[in-house]
Amino acid sequence: MGRKNVQDELQDKCGIVGIYSYEESVDVASWIYSGLYTLQHRGQESAGISVLKEGRINTHVGMGLVSDVFDKDLIDILNGNVGIGHVRYSTTGESLVENCQPFVEHEDDIIIAFAHNGDFVNSKLLREDLMASGYEFRSTTDSEVICHMIIDEYNKTKDAINAIQNTCQKLIGSYSFVAVINGVLYAVRDPLGMKPLSLGRSEDFVVVASETVAFDSLDIEYERSIEPGEILEINGKIEKSHKMPTPDHTANCMFEYLYFARPDSIIFDKSVYEVRLNVGKRLAQEYPIDADVVIAVPDSSIPATLAYSRASGIPYAEGLIKNRYVGRTFIMPTQKDRDTAVKLKMNTVGSVLKDKRVIVIDDSVVRGTTSKTIIKMIRDAGAKEVHLLIGCPEIISPCYYGIAMATKEELLAVDRTNEEIRDLIGVDSIGYISIEGLVESIGTPRKDLCLGCITEEYPTIIPPELYGKKE
C-alpha cells in the first residue's frame, strides 16, 4: 500500500475512546475530548465525538487536530452520558471530511455510532457485497463497511451481540472498535488481538481506549486489556463479556511497541517504555561501538537511546532537537522541498556533534529518505563518524493491517545488503536489531506477535492472495 507522506515514518490508522457514565445527568463529551487529546499521536488528520442523549446521537467531526475541531461551545452542546470518540490517520480512504469518524446511522430498529482502528484485507469484497444489497457509502474507508455490516446483521437477528459476532466472522485483518448501539457501549478486539484496546474505570464511569494514557488524563485506574476476540457489552453498571472463536495464538503488532504508542502507555498488558529500554539494551549487546556520544532521533527512540548509553557507558546527549510545532505529515513536490521539511522538523546541536564519533539510534527505517537527510545534517554539523542503529529489523514487506508504509519496491532494505544501505544513507556503519533481539525485548513469544513486515510471514491471508494478484 502506497502513501503520500514523504517523511520516512510509519503511521497507524487511529485512536479510539468510549465512555459510559453511570449517571444519566452527566455529560461525557469533555471526558472523551480529554481522552482523544492524549491519543493525538495516533492520528492528526481528523477528530470526532458522538454522544447519545434521549435516544438521539449527537455528533461533531472535522478535519485537523482535536483542539482545532472542538471548542468549549461544541463540547457543551454534545450532551449525553455515553459516547465514543476517534482521531484518524488514513490508511484506507483519502484525507477527506467524509471519512471522519465516528460514523452514525439511524434505521427503524437501530441507532449506531461506530469508530474503528485497524485495517481488514477483504474490505473491497465486503463493500461490493453490501453495495449489491443496496447499501450506499458516503466514505471510502473500511470502517464504514463494518458499520453497514453490523446494521445488515442486526436487521436479520435484532440482537446486537449476534450482529457483531456475525460481522466479525467475515472480517480478515486487524480491528479494535467501539460502538454505541441503541444506547449500549460495545468494545471489540479482533481474535488475533492485533491492535490494542484497554479498559479502565472509576466509581463514576467506565472507559475503553486504544492506550492507557487516556485513563491517566481522566485520573482513572487501568483495569485490563480487552481480550482478543472479546466483545465487551457495557450498559450502565451491567457489563457482559462475550467471546468469539479465537486461534491458539495472538498477533500483537510489534510496531505499537516501537513507534506508535506513547512510551507512558501500557498496551497488550506491557509497558511501552520498558520494551523500548529493552531494545536499547539489546542494541548495546549486539552492536558495541567505540564512540564519543549517542543521540536519538526524537521522540520515540529516546528510551532506547538512554538504555544504550547506560549499557555501553557512552554519554547520551541531545544532538537532534525536534520542532514540536511541525506536524507529522508533509506533502512536498520536490526532493528539495522534502529536505526542507525534515530540517523544519529537526535541527542539530553543533556543540554536541562537532568532531565527535556519533551513534544515532532510530526506531525504524522504511524508505530511508529521512534518515539520509538527517545523517547529512549530522555530517554537516561536523561529526567525525556517524553510526546508525535501528531498533527494528529490516522492513522487507508491506503491512496490510493498518500501518501506512511504502510499497515493497520503495522499501530501503529490499534487495539491498547492509553495506549497500550504509553507503546509500551515508553512515560509517549501520546495524538493525535482530528479530530474536526484538522478540526478547518485547517479552512476548514470537508466535504471538505480528512480524509480517520483517519476515513476510503474515498471520492472515493477504490481498495478493485474496485477489489472486502478485505483489
Side-chain angles (χ1 to χ4, degrees):
M1 76 179 50
R3 84 189 155 116
K4 293 182 179 180
N5 179 9
V6 303
Q7 294 205 53
D8 190 32
E9 293 184 349
L10 301 172
Q11 299 291 351
D12 189 45
K13 183 163 183 169
C14 306
I16 54 177
V17 177
I19 300 183
Y20 201 121
S21 170
Y22 300 136
E23 298 293 332
E24 291 188 8
S25 61
V26 175
D27 297 326
V28 298
S30 62
W31 296 342
I32 295 172
Y33 175 94
S34 296
L36 292 179
Y37 200 91
T38 61
L39 298 178
Q40 189 74 85
H41 59 286
R42 298 186 70 88
Q44 301 87 45
E45 286 189 1
S46 67
I49 294 175
S50 294
V51 293
L52 182 77
K53 182 75 169 183
E54 297 176 351
R56 175 183 175 83
I57 291 178
N58 300 309
T59 298
H60 181 76
V61 300
M63 302 300 294
L65 303 177
V66 176
S67 58
D68 297 327
V69 174
F70 296 96
D71 57 27
K72 185 179 184 303
D73 291 338
L74 275 170
I75 293 297
D76 286 345
I77 64 175
L78 287 173
N79 300 321
N81 72 308
V82 56
I84 60 176
H86 187 269
V87 289
R88 181 174 192 264
Y89 187 96
S90 60
T91 56
T92 61
E94 298 177 81
S95 179
L96 302 170
V97 70
E98 292 84 355
N99 291 331
C100 296
Q101 298 183 43
F103 289 110
V104 178
E105 296 289 344
H106 296 248
E107 290 200 5
D108 292 341
D109 297 322
I110 183 172
I111 301 174
I112 180 172
F114 179 88
H116 164 234
N117 173 36
D119 267 349
F120 56 102
V121 303
N122 58 334
S123 61
K124 180 181 177 183
L125 295 176
L126 294 172
R127 177 186 288 265
E128 290 170 353
D129 290 344
L130 287 165
M131 292 177 67
S133 299
Y135 283 88
E136 296 181 357
F137 288 82
R138 64 177 183 270
S139 79
T140 56
T141 72
D142 55 357
S143 305
E144 191 180 9
V145 174
I146 304 178
C147 186
H148 283 315
M149 289 176 67
I150 291 173
I151 292 172
D152 191 59
E153 293 294 335
Y154 185 86
N155 288 336
K156 298 173 186 175
T157 66
K158 305 303 179 184
D159 181 273
I161 294 299
N162 286 341
I164 294 171
Q165 289 173 330
N166 294 341
T167 295
C168 291
Q169 286 177 5
K170 300 175 184 178
L171 304 179
I172 303 172
S174 71
Y175 52 90
S176 286
F177 65 79
V178 288
V180 177
I181 304 175
N182 294 342
V184 180
L185 177 63
Y186 298 89
V188 182
R189 276 183 78 200
D190 70 76
L192 286 168
M194 291 191 185
K195 299 298 178 186
L197 191 61
S198 295
L199 173 69
R201 73 174 72 249
S202 69
E203 292 182 358
D204 301 317
F205 55 97
V206 61
V207 182
V208 289
S210 295
E211 296 181 32
T212 59
V213 287
F215 306 152
D216 298 336
S217 70
L218 298 170
D219 196 26
I220 69 170
E221 294 293 323
Y222 165 62
E223 187 168 302
R224 64 177 178 88
S225 286
I226 305 299
E227 296 295 324
E230 181 178 8
I231 303 169
L232 182 62
E233 179 183 7
I234 304 168
N235 189 5
K237 291 190 176 181
I238 300 173
E239 295 180 19
K240 297 178 182 178
S241 178
H242 310 267
K243 288 289 288 183
M244 294 181 280
T246 56
D248 62 356
H249 64 93
T250 60
N252 300 159
C253 173
M254 59 96 174
F255 266 114
E256 288 284 352
Y257 290 111
L258 298 184
Y259 177 76
F260 298 125
R262 267 181 37 170
D264 47 341
S265 283
I266 296 171
I267 59 169
F268 310 126
D269 286 322
K270 291 183 181 294
S271 163
V272 175
Y273 188 79
E274 292 298 325
V275 169
R276 292 180 185 174
L277 288 178
N278 293 340
V279 166
K281 190 183 303 182
R282 184 62 180 238
L283 282 172
Q285 295 170 3
E286 295 185 0
Y287 298 100
I289 297 171
D290 190 13
D292 302 308
V293 67
V294 56
I295 69 171
V297 177
D299 285 322
S300 50
S301 60
I302 290 175
T305 308
L306 286 169
Y308 187 98
S309 172
R310 293 168 186 166
S312 66
I314 299 171
Y316 166 84
E318 292 185 272
L320 292 167
I321 302 298
K322 183 178 181 180
N323 180 356
R324 288 169 176 80
Y325 296 96
V326 177
R328 277 188 168 180
T329 59
F330 288 92
I331 300 176
M332 299 289 182
T334 69
Q335 185 60 49
K336 183 178 180 180
D337 289 334
R338 291 192 283 271
D339 291 343
T340 300
V342 176
K343 292 175 182 177
L344 281 173
K345 186 176 181 182
M346 208 90 64
N347 196 25
T348 55
V349 181
S351 60
V352 170
L353 304 172
K354 185 173 176 57
D355 298 325
K356 299 292 198 317
R357 298 168 298 170
V358 181
I359 298 172
V360 184
I361 295 183
D362 204 354
D363 53 71
S364 57
V365 173
V366 185
R367 292 173 173 167
T369 51
T370 297
S371 298
K372 186 175 181 180
T373 301
I374 289 174
I375 296 305
K376 184 178 185 302
M377 291 167 59
I378 294 171
R379 293 279 195 196
D380 290 345
K384 186 163 56 176
E385 295 178 13
V386 184
H387 306 271
L388 179 61
L389 298 181
I390 313 298
C392 172
E394 295 92 325
I395 298 172
I396 59 172
S397 195
C399 173
Y400 299 98
Y401 306 117
I403 302 171
M405 61 170 63
T407 60
K408 184 162 186 172
E409 293 74 19
E410 296 173 300
L411 294 171
L412 178 68
V414 172
D415 297 327
R416 288 189 179 95
T417 65
N418 276 13
E419 290 73 21
E420 289 171 330
I421 296 171
R422 175 199 66 196
D423 295 341
L424 186 61
I425 292 180
V427 291
D428 293 278
S429 71
I430 185 168
Y432 295 84
I433 193 172
S434 65
I435 294 177
E436 295 75 15
L438 174 63
V439 171
E440 290 179 14
S441 296
I442 294 173
T444 296
R446 180 168 175 166
K447 68 180 181 64
D448 291 327
L449 293 170
C450 180
L451 306 172
C453 59
I454 59 176
T455 64
E456 294 188 280
E457 298 171 2
Y458 296 97
T460 74
I461 189 173
I462 57 174
E465 301 166 358
L466 189 67
Y467 298 103
K469 299 175 182 177
K470 293 183 178 180
E471 241 183 303

